[in-house]
Amino acid sequence: MKILIADDDEQILRALAITLKARGHTVVTARTGTEALDTAIHAHPDLIVIDLGMPGLTGQEVIEAVRGWSTMPILVVSGRSESWDKVDALDAGADDYMTKPFSVDELLARIRALSRRLGPVEATGPTVAFGEVVVDLAHRQVLRAGAPVRLTPTEWRLLEELVRHPGTLITRETLLATVWGRPSTGDTGYLRLYMAQLRKKLEPVPSAPRYLLTEAGMGYRFAPEGLPEGSSGEPAPADGAEDDGRASR
């Protein structure tokens, strides 16, 4: 198993690398949050062991970024022992949390437990491309024909949910609960309006969508290969949604 160890403490980094290599694991290391994210994207580790307090991006920011495109197990090993630090890390997407100092035997046991949860590799990577659009899930950016596209936070959450599940019908109820935190099935007006906004920004012909498709009466589907020329999903509403805040980068 390939394990990424991210920690700015050189002694801990070296000790963990020696220990895990001795157990037959392949180890890659990072000393800053930015380096940890780049390594997670390019080295494709099976599991991440990460500290929270690192220069550059924090450990929590790295976890949130990785969770934008991967479900690889993440074990936090940190000197922060307050309950809210643990809650924040777990809410960000960490699978387990250990406090420093720790025993090597416990660390290895937790790594074994997390490795048993490893499932199939996800269909999506850190970037998803369709038409002229590239969605960078790790850095939460969107480009169209090489130019940045400004999305509101809500537009980003909606797009992220769709592109992380290519070809899958996502019901209106699921999108309302995931994007707006509203399990109610009655209020779908916001959903229609924000989908119309996404289509205006990302579809070649917003009124005849090829990639962000409507499944009438059910929900929406992301088609990464796109529909053939001349065909489309259900036409998008003409009304647009108002901006709900600053763009997600």
Side-chain angles (χ1 to χ4, degrees):
M1 181 167 63
K2 181 184 289 187
I3 300 176
L4 165 59
I5 307 172
D7 199 305
D8 64 342
D9 187 316
E10 187 67 35
Q11 289 185 335
I12 290 180
L13 202 65
R14 186 183 304 110
L16 289 182
I18 293 172
T19 298
L20 293 174
K21 287 179 181 178
R23 266 68 175 184
H25 299 293
T26 300
V27 175
V28 289
T29 61
R31 293 166 178 78
T32 69
T34 303
E35 185 182 359
L37 180 57
D38 288 341
T39 304
I41 293 172
H42 299 295
H44 307 292
D46 300 303
L47 184 146
I48 298 176
V49 177
I50 189 168
D51 186 21
L52 292 181
M54 290 189 296
L57 296 174
T58 66
Q60 182 167 324
E61 289 172 330
V62 174
I63 294 168
E64 291 171 347
V66 169
R67 281 293 172 258
W69 56 273
S70 175
T71 59
M72 72 177 76
I74 299 176
L75 169 60
V76 173
V77 179
S78 174
R80 301 177 184 178
S81 59
E82 298 293 342
S83 60
W84 58 78
D85 290 316
K86 298 178 183 180
V87 169
D88 288 346
L90 294 171
D91 282 345
D95 296 282
D96 200 357
Y97 194 109
M98 290 181 61
T99 56
K100 299 175 182 177
F102 56 89
S103 73
V104 172
D105 287 341
E106 182 183 359
L107 174 70
L108 294 173
R110 296 200 186 210
I111 288 176
R112 289 195 298 270
L114 289 174
S115 68
R116 289 194 290 269
R117 303 181 198 173
L118 286 172
V121 177
E122 290 186 333
T124 59
T127 61
V128 178
F130 59 94
E132 295 183 327
V133 176
V134 176
V135 181
D136 186 337
L137 293 167
H139 297 94
R140 305 173 78 86
Q141 295 176 332
V142 179
L143 301 176
R144 182 174 181 179
V149 178
R150 179 182 174 85
L151 298 184
T152 70
T154 298
E155 289 168 352
W156 170 262
R157 289 194 297 271
L158 179 56
L159 178 64
E160 180 183 29
E161 184 67 18
L162 289 167
V163 301
R164 286 191 64 189
H165 303 88
T168 301
L169 168 66
I170 304 181
T171 66
R172 293 174 298 186
E173 294 79 12
T174 297
L175 288 171
L176 285 170
T178 303
V179 178
W180 282 274
R182 300 174 183 171
S184 170
T185 60
D187 184 7
T188 60
Y190 282 116
L191 183 54
R192 291 195 305 271
L193 291 174
Y194 277 98
M195 181 59 70
Q197 282 294 96
L198 277 181
R199 286 167 169 161
K200 287 179 182 178
K201 294 179 178 182
L202 305 180
E203 287 279 0
V205 182
S207 61
R210 296 182 56 199
Y211 303 100
L212 306 174
L213 310 180
T214 298
E215 297 289 348
M218 295 183 290
Y220 297 91
R221 187 190 309 270
F222 167 56
E225 302 302 322
L227 294 179
E229 289 285 352
S231 61
S232 71
E234 183 177 308
D239 295 332
E242 295 183 0
D243 195 301
D244 68 339
R246 298 181 63 185
S248 54
R249 298 191 187 182

